[in-house]
Amino acid sequence: MADTGNSAARMTVFPPLADTEVVAALDALARRHRGASGLGMQVLSMVGGSAETLLDKLPAPVKSRLDDATEAALRAALGAANRSRDMVTDKADWLNTALATAMGAAGGFAGLPGAMAELPVTVTVLLRAIQGIAAEHGFDPADEAVQMECITVFASAGPMKLDDGAETGFLAARMTVTGQSLNALISKVAPRLSAVLGQKLAAQAAPVLGAVAGAAINYAFTGYYQEMARVHFGLKRLARDNGLDEGNLREELRARITVKKK
């Protein structure tokens, strides 16, 4: 007997995109996404090893509470970023990068304890930068749905791991389903982000490199997540402005990220 369920699924096919401007915009977003990890790879080369082996360098007590620490940092960062919007205007990418780089240097200078203390502050700067990019694309960061989208940007693989497209934040965006609370989303994103931040902590704690490693790591992280935010909200704006299905565009974008055109 034929598998009617699978057959029905195969028949749910969106028509090919005909608008050349939309196709060009998707191609540009894919190029931006593919280029975002370059700096992180340079940092890995500097500190030695791979993203996975870096995590092995963390002390067991730190690794055991990394998920909880990341979730707490995300919740604190969201509150701080939201409050700061009434007092501090959004900054240019280079200013966000400069601030995070300076904090990374300070945290790295003090080794692992300094990096742990610096972590929630850096997450706040990153989240505030992402909110600014959301606003730049015409979305209101005071809207809880937009705040959820900002948190979703952190679900991407991170700057120190080559993202093959299967784990992009655009697939993770499906977590922002109707009725899901912001707190529930943070709980789902935190384990993904903790693996990324664990690499950051381990690299900052590497002997000798100290402040230089911390500065380089935060420079790479800020650049990466700002790029991911521009891709994420660029896709959402493209769907909104052209009256297109966002899920369809996300799949089109994923195909462009994972398969190089001949």
Side-chain angles (χ1 to χ4, degrees), residues 151-199:
I151 293 294
T152 295
V153 173
F154 285 123
S156 52
M160 298 170 77
K161 180 178 180 182
L162 290 175
D163 191 342
D164 64 1
E167 295 296 327
T168 63
F170 314 109
L171 295 182
R174 293 173 177 170
M175 294 189 294
T176 58
V177 295
T178 302
Q180 174 150 318
S181 71
L182 185 56
N183 285 334
L185 180 64
I186 288 175
S187 296
K188 288 185 177 180
V189 170
R192 285 173 170 262
L193 183 59
S194 70
V196 177
L197 295 182
Q199 298 158 16

Side-chain angles (χ1 to χ4, degrees), residues 18-63:
D19 190 320
T20 56
E21 291 187 2
V22 172
V23 171
L26 280 173
D27 289 342
L29 290 173
R31 287 193 298 272
R32 185 183 286 271
H33 185 282
R34 285 196 300 267
S37 293
L39 286 173
M41 293 299 105
Q42 292 176 28
V43 172
L44 272 181
S45 177
M46 182 181 73
V47 300
S50 66
E52 289 73 20
T53 58
L54 274 179
L55 287 173
D56 293 335
K57 298 179 181 179
L58 281 177
V62 174
K63 284 195 289 187

Side-chain angles (χ1 to χ4, degrees), residues 96-137:
N96 293 323
T97 301
L99 177 58
T101 300
M103 291 190 304
F109 182 80
L112 185 56
M116 288 291 293
E118 168 248 325
L119 184 64
V121 184
T122 292
V123 174
T124 300
V125 171
L126 292 175
L127 183 55
R128 179 58 201 271
I130 292 168
Q131 288 183 342
I133 291 168
E136 179 186 315
H137 285 74

